[in-house]
Amino acid sequence: MKANLSSGSQWRRSILAAALILCAYFNIADNFAVQIVLYVASVYLVLTAIFKICLIYKIFGINASRQRRSGTGMY
């Protein structure tokens, strides 16, 4: 699979995942089901940040990564 995330998207996803993990850990919502949803969402965000592939972007045909044009030296 081709990468479809930019480095900025990776950082934003990592920071958001950390915030969701903290919210779930400190039980912000006082609901077990919400905690599970927060943990699952954070795992998804971490995995997409690590592998640079967002399946939701793939479904909709979005490519946020900056690819170099061959031979031009430009993005």
Side-chain angles (χ1 to χ4, degrees), residues 7-8 15 24 29 31 34 42 47-49 53 55 63 66-67 71-72:
S7 60
I15 291 169
N31 187 343
V34 173
S42 63
L47 290 176
T48 58
I53 298 169
L55 297 177
N63 186 1
R66 296 178 77 188
Q67 302 284 333
T72 63

Side-chain angles (χ1 to χ4, degrees), residues 3-75:
N4 62 3
L5 288 179
S6 66
S7 60
S9 292
Q10 287 179 276
W11 279 104
R12 284 188 294 274
R13 286 170 186 262
S14 300
I15 291 169
L16 182 59
L20 290 178
I21 289 172
L22 288 174
C23 287
Y25 180 75
F26 290 114
N27 203 6
I28 299 298
D30 290 332
N31 187 343
F32 184 70
V34 173
Q35 277 185 300
I36 297 300
V37 169
L38 291 174
Y39 281 128
V40 169
S42 63
V43 167
Y44 176 76
L45 290 172
V46 167
L47 290 176
T48 58
I50 290 172
F51 294 114
K52 301 180 187 177
I53 298 169
C54 178
L55 297 177
I56 296 171
Y57 281 9
K58 189 116 179 113
I59 290 170
F60 290 108
I62 299 170
N63 186 1
S65 68
R66 296 178 77 188
Q67 302 284 333
R68 279 189 181 252
R69 295 182 192 164
S70 60
T72 63
M74 298 177 65
Y75 287 99

